[in-house]
Amino acid sequence: MARLLSMVVAAFAATAGSVASAQEFYFGGGLAYTSGTSESEFANSSDLDAGMLSLIIGQRFAAGTGFWGWETNADLSFGSETKESSFGAVCSTDGANGPYLCEHKATVRLVGVYGVPVGAGTEVFGSLGVGMMLGDYADSSFSVESARTYGATAGLGLSRDFGGGLTARGEVIYDSFDRNSQEFYDSTYYGTSLRMALIRKF
């Protein structure tokens, strides 16, 4: 984790040091669909399948024909419940048989971004950084604790400029969260998100 974070910070520093002009801030939002699995230390697991609201803020710098930048984003589900992987049991109504994720609240990420043009007004971009998922995790059959699971995140996307500072984009994001703040037990989370968003540059 420390090595990954240092790589992201180094990319930001290199960007800021080599490019002092042609920078753009941007913000936007959109919709995401996430599918993932929370695995407990006892080999029990739960599945998350949920639609989410996405918020995005970032900054990009021109670098040759492409760009570098940083971005922070959040996918908010406002309390989507998971189901036990084998039997489909829901924590809040059926109880949990392992200390896995029971209710997702938000996933937040901080990433470095690099992109290149592939056609008139179209760019392909990739992202790499760190992410954290906030939610409720089972600590007994019918009780939960609020905790965080965190680790690495990476994405690949395509964006299209429509003029007037507006850009539409779609991306696939993979989260590999192998550390957590659970008090009594341990779990990991691995998931893939598909996001469609509209960005405003200024």
Side-chain angles (χ1 to χ4, degrees):
M1 172 66 70
R3 183 178 178 183
L4 176 62
L5 186 57
S6 65
M7 290 172 61
V8 174
V9 171
F12 294 164
T15 297
S18 61
V19 182
S21 61
Q23 59 178 310
E24 295 176 312
F25 285 95
Y26 59 88
F27 69 94
L31 299 175
Y33 182 81
T34 295
S35 179
T37 299
S38 173
E39 298 178 347
S40 78
E41 61 183 302
F42 304 114
N44 309 101
S45 62
S46 65
D47 296 325
L48 173 67
D49 292 285
M52 302 187 187
L53 177 67
S54 292
L55 302 176
I56 301 167
I57 299 174
Q59 184 181 19
R60 52 184 276 169
F61 304 83
T65 59
F67 70 90
W68 288 89
W70 64 267
E71 180 180 299
T72 181
N73 59 72
D75 291 340
L76 311 173
S77 74
F78 306 102
S80 290
E81 294 185 318
T82 65
K83 292 183 178 181
E84 196 276 334
S85 297
S86 299
F87 307 106
V90 179
C91 283
S92 61
T93 56
D94 305 313
N97 65 358
Y100 42 62
L101 176 71
C102 284
E103 184 177 290
H104 175 277
K105 296 179 180 177
T107 300
V108 295
R109 306 176 185 89
L110 175 64
V111 297
V113 182
Y114 177 74
V116 294
V118 292
T122 303
E123 297 173 327
V124 62
F125 64 92
S127 63
L128 178 66
V130 293
M132 178 174 65
M133 183 173 67
L134 296 81
D136 290 337
Y137 296 75
D139 55 16
S140 71
S141 294
F142 287 98
S143 67
V144 298
E145 60 170 324
S146 294
R148 301 173 300 278
T149 305
Y150 51 94
T153 184
L156 182 65
L158 193 67
S159 66
R160 173 72 177 179
D161 190 351
F162 289 100
L166 291 177
T167 300
R169 75 182 196 182
E171 60 187 307
V172 177
I173 303 166
Y174 179 70
D175 296 317
S176 177
F177 299 161
D178 57 3
R179 291 178 172 83
N180 67 79
S181 68
Q182 290 170 256
E183 183 177 2
F184 302 107
Y185 303 103
D186 291 310
S187 70
T188 58
Y189 175 82
Y190 305 98
T192 302
S193 299
L194 176 63
R195 177 196 288 152
M196 304 298 293
L198 187 64
I199 304 299
R200 171 77 178 187
K201 301 175 185 176
F202 62 97

